[in-house]
Amino acid sequence: MPREGVPDFLRGLTPVVLRADTRVGNHGFRAGSATTFQSVLQAGTAVMADGHGLPRVRCACGNPLSRPAGAGDAEGGRGEKWAGYDPARTVVVAPAPKTVAELVVVDADHNSWMARAVGDEGARDRTPEVPPPYAPGTDITGPLPDVPPAKSHEPKPPKPPKPPKKPIPSRSTPGPGDCPPPAAPTPPGEAVAATEEPTGAPVPVPTNCPTPTGLPSDGPTEEYPELPTDEPTGSPADPDEPPQDLVPPMTDEPQTSIRLPWRDDMEGSVDG
């Protein structure tokens, strides 16, 4: 990192406190040169963490910190050991796979989870929307309960291609020279369905197209009597006298009714 980039890097770090004895890569300065050595920081040590959750600076002395080298072993360390130190119960911080906007940490004063924005000193702390799946006081130096296994980052095999969809026939407008399809005839007794009004310019129909015909009917057809025409035949009739074809023949028996042939220009009926 260039020297001029150090201030911005430090402003982007977040102050946190280690909850367990933590192994880190420590860096010092001796005889004019930088030094690197493996260290275990005691639980309760204040550090500055980056956007991946890694401790990067020890607040007590300002030493830069990094990930520990290799698997390591906390057994053969030098220095005064504190009460409760157990090499088998040290932890190593695993970095997040990508930079996060917040770090979910424990609020030691209230024994609860809180979300702290990266680069913030605590002024915007809030309750996380999705807290960890274990209590804040859980011992993190051993296997954590109810923690789902980490997802593998290996690429998944490609899915087999889906079979092509069958083409759906679309209705096409007949062009010039094409005969329109014959319309289905309306069955007897049913109303003729309304058709959509044509849009756009009309398509000319060729003269050699067959004329559609209706379906033959197998049922009996009613025969209607021929209606008299208005054209005069023979001698003109007296307008005051009824037509001769409407006067029934007279008999000696009393008549009860007269049935008249129905015409569109006649209304009502006559009953005797």
Side-chain angles (χ1 to χ4, degrees):
M1 176 184 300
R3 180 178 299 180
E4 57 271 15
V6 172
D8 290 338
F9 173 76
L10 295 176
R11 293 188 189 98
L13 300 180
T14 309
V16 295
V17 175
L18 299 177
R19 297 179 57 204
D21 297 342
T22 306
R23 290 182 56 234
V24 296
N26 207 335
H27 304 270
F29 192 79
R30 179 179 297 176
S33 299
T35 59
T36 302
F37 53 97
Q38 303 302 302
S39 295
V40 176
L41 301 182
Q42 185 179 4
T45 300
V47 298
M48 304 288 287
D50 63 8
H52 295 268
L54 285 175
R56 301 306 300 267
V57 177
R58 184 184 179 188
C59 296
C61 59
N63 280 4
L65 303 175
S66 60
R67 300 182 65 182
D73 186 4
E75 287 285 353
R78 293 182 299 174
E80 184 179 354
K81 297 180 177 60
W82 52 85
Y85 174 72
D86 183 357
R89 297 179 68 83
T90 59
V91 299
V92 175
V93 178
K98 60 181 181 179
T99 304
V100 296
E102 293 179 331
L103 299 178
V104 178
V105 296
V106 174
D107 182 355
D109 295 336
H110 303 90
N111 191 30
S112 60
W113 295 109
M114 68 178 181
R116 174 166 294 180
V118 173
D120 188 70
E121 297 181 359
R124 296 181 292 168
D125 290 351
R126 64 181 184 86
T127 302
E129 296 180 358
V130 182
Y134 48 87
T138 303
D139 183 7
I140 62 173
T141 61
L144 296 177
D146 301 328
V147 177
K151 295 183 179 180
S152 174
H153 297 285
E154 297 180 359
K156 297 181 180 180
K159 296 182 179 180
K162 295 182 180 180
K165 296 182 180 180
K166 295 182 178 181
I168 300 176
S170 59
R171 297 180 179 179
S172 59
T173 304
D178 297 335
C179 294
T186 303
E190 293 188 7
V192 179
T195 58
E196 298 181 356
E197 296 182 0
T199 58
V203 180
V205 180
T207 56
N208 57 349
C209 292
T211 302
T213 57
L215 294 178
S217 174
D218 297 334
T221 57
E222 298 181 0
E223 296 182 359
Y224 297 95
E226 293 186 0
L227 298 179
T229 60
D230 296 335
E231 298 180 1
T233 56
S235 59
D238 190 350
D240 295 334
E241 295 182 2
Q244 294 298 324
D245 56 348
L246 299 182
V247 179
M250 301 299 295
T251 61
D252 297 337
E253 297 180 1
Q255 295 179 342
T256 59
S257 64
I258 298 176
R259 180 175 297 276
L260 302 178
W262 184 260
R263 292 195 321 184
D264 293 339
D265 56 346
M266 301 177 63
E267 296 180 358
S269 63
V270 179
D271 290 333

